[in-house]
Amino acid sequence: MKLSLDVNLSRNLRNKFNERLNFSMAKTAKFRCPDGKEIEQASFNAVCAVLDRIDSLVVHCCSLEIDSSTSGIFAFYDLLNYGQTLIDCIELIAQIYDYKSNVGTSCSHFKNSGNNNKGTDEKYFKYLRSLCTVHPVETNHHKEYQGNQPEWCPYIGPVNTVTAWALPTKDRNADFVAIIYRNDMTLQKYLPIYVDQVFSYIESRYNEINDIIKAIDNYNQDCISKLKSNSLMLPSSFPSYDTYLRYLDKEIKDKIKFVFVKNYMEIYNDIFGGDNNGRNRKNEND
């Protein structure tokens, strides 16, 4: 069993981010500092790191061969661990570009709302990841699925004649079963695991990139609209051309916030409809 993700989707995300680098470099977001404070800072470096990480994570996650062998089970551990890292990367870009996800808030993939009916796909995936690979020696942050008791998971394995008897009949076709120890149970707790559900959840979160691309495009178009609404003063308003050039330089830094001007004329054309000589195309054809 292997996860399948479209690598072109992450490439499309990178291309959209690079499409208007001047706007991408001007984007800011709140980041938590080591002292616990959140500060509004430039987000360019964060997004660049995330884009590189997404590319490598997609390749790695899709290379994992999951089966009932020892190596196949550890490949599943890898998928849970790095699948969440992939989701974290996607969520960070979504946060920066003000896209709110609803994918993880349902129970459509794992179909498990927990003991208090407050569980979600996102919460269940994190619970499963904690048990299997991140905190197997003490899972204690998932009240929806474990109540008030800590849990310990020594291993997971394929469903066989020994473990099948402990599962409901409907779950005896699961791919794996997690063995869980609890202090309030005489026998172990057995948690059925369906790999296709894990695949489905990760794929749905990865496909959110399509909506993030739209959010980036909306941000870029909003930047262009704001620039269009800001009229520039004419050279005749200044005592000298040097003064006018200094004014233009300040406008570039304050309003357009260029770090470099590689795409200056392209942006100019978008705003004013001019060609590379600064002439207005509409007027030129009148």
Side-chain angles (χ1 to χ4, degrees):
M1 295 176 283
K2 278 188 174 182
L3 177 68
S4 178
L5 300 175
D6 182 5
V7 295
N8 290 318
L9 193 53
S10 62
R11 291 171 185 161
N12 292 342
L13 176 62
R14 183 185 294 275
N15 290 338
K16 177 55 66 175
F17 179 73
N18 288 336
E19 187 176 76
R20 302 291 188 198
L21 272 179
N22 50 308
F23 295 151
S24 297
M25 298 181 85
K27 190 76 174 76
T28 62
K30 288 185 178 180
F31 296 97
R32 189 175 297 277
C33 298
D35 60 6
K37 296 180 180 178
E38 283 193 348
I39 300 178
E40 189 84 15
Q41 300 184 50
S43 62
F44 185 78
N45 286 328
V47 177
C48 288
V50 163
L51 291 174
D52 288 341
R53 184 67 69 167
I54 287 176
D55 287 346
S56 59
L57 286 168
V58 168
V59 172
H60 178 67
C61 289
C62 291
S63 72
L64 298 170
E65 184 69 57
I66 299 169
D67 55 40
S68 59
S69 67
T70 299
S71 61
I73 291 173
F74 274 86
F76 181 65
Y77 295 160
D78 247 14
L79 180 66
L80 291 175
N81 195 23
Y82 290 113
Q84 183 59 53
T85 305
L86 175 61
I87 292 169
D88 290 342
C89 290
I90 293 168
E91 287 182 340
L92 179 57
I93 296 187
Q95 174 191 335
I96 290 171
Y97 283 94
D98 301 316
Y99 167 72
K100 289 183 169 48
S101 168
N102 293 317
V103 174
T105 59
S106 70
C107 295
S108 59
H109 299 283
F110 297 108
K111 300 177 174 42
N112 193 327
S113 60
N115 304 323
N116 56 7
N117 290 320
K118 293 183 178 180
T120 63
D121 285 331
E122 180 181 21
K123 291 178 180 178
Y124 187 80
F125 182 80
K126 289 182 177 179
Y127 168 62
L128 193 61
R129 175 175 177 257
S130 180
L131 273 175
C132 294
T133 184
V134 183
H135 303 293
V137 295
E138 188 175 18
T139 295
N140 55 18
H141 285 80
H142 307 273
K143 189 173 182 179
E144 294 86 357
Y145 299 103
Q146 64 184 109
N148 289 318
Q149 283 289 322
E151 294 183 341
W152 301 272
C153 178
Y155 61 90
I156 74 170
V159 177
N160 52 37
T161 54
V162 177
T163 56
W165 67 270
L167 295 173
T169 303
K170 67 180 180 64
D171 288 323
R172 290 177 183 173
N173 63 339
D175 297 299
F176 300 115
V177 59
I179 310 302
I180 302 168
Y181 300 158
R182 293 172 59 104
N183 286 333
D184 63 347
M185 296 177 67
T186 304
L187 299 176
Q188 297 98 321
K189 173 181 171 182
Y190 297 88
L191 183 71
I193 299 172
Y194 294 88
V195 175
D196 64 334
Q197 292 179 346
V198 174
F199 284 173
S200 176
Y201 175 66
I202 294 175
E203 288 167 4
S204 68
R205 298 307 304 269
Y206 180 69
N207 287 335
E208 287 184 287
I209 287 177
N210 286 311
D211 293 317
I212 295 172
I213 289 173
K214 294 177 184 177
I216 295 175
D217 194 55
N218 290 338
Y219 163 75
N220 290 341
Q221 293 304 317
D222 184 56
C223 287
I224 291 173
S225 296
K226 288 179 180 178
L227 288 173
K228 284 182 176 180
S229 66
N230 292 332
S231 299
L232 293 175
M233 297 174 65
L234 297 174
S236 58
S237 302
F238 296 87
S240 68
Y241 201 71
D242 286 345
T243 307
Y244 173 62
L245 289 178
R246 284 195 294 271
Y247 160 74
L248 285 181
D249 182 62
K250 184 177 184 302
E251 288 296 301
I252 287 173
K253 292 176 180 176
D254 291 348
K255 295 183 180 180
I256 305 179
K257 299 179 181 177
F258 279 158
V259 178
F260 58 88
V261 294
K262 178 180 179 181
N263 293 324
Y264 174 78
M265 292 313 303
E266 185 178 354
I267 298 300
Y268 186 93
N269 292 341
D270 285 336
I271 298 171
F272 301 108
D275 61 19
N276 287 344
N277 294 317
R279 294 173 296 185
N280 185 285
R281 290 172 180 166
K282 182 179 178 181
N283 292 340
E284 193 173 52
N285 294 327
D286 287 345

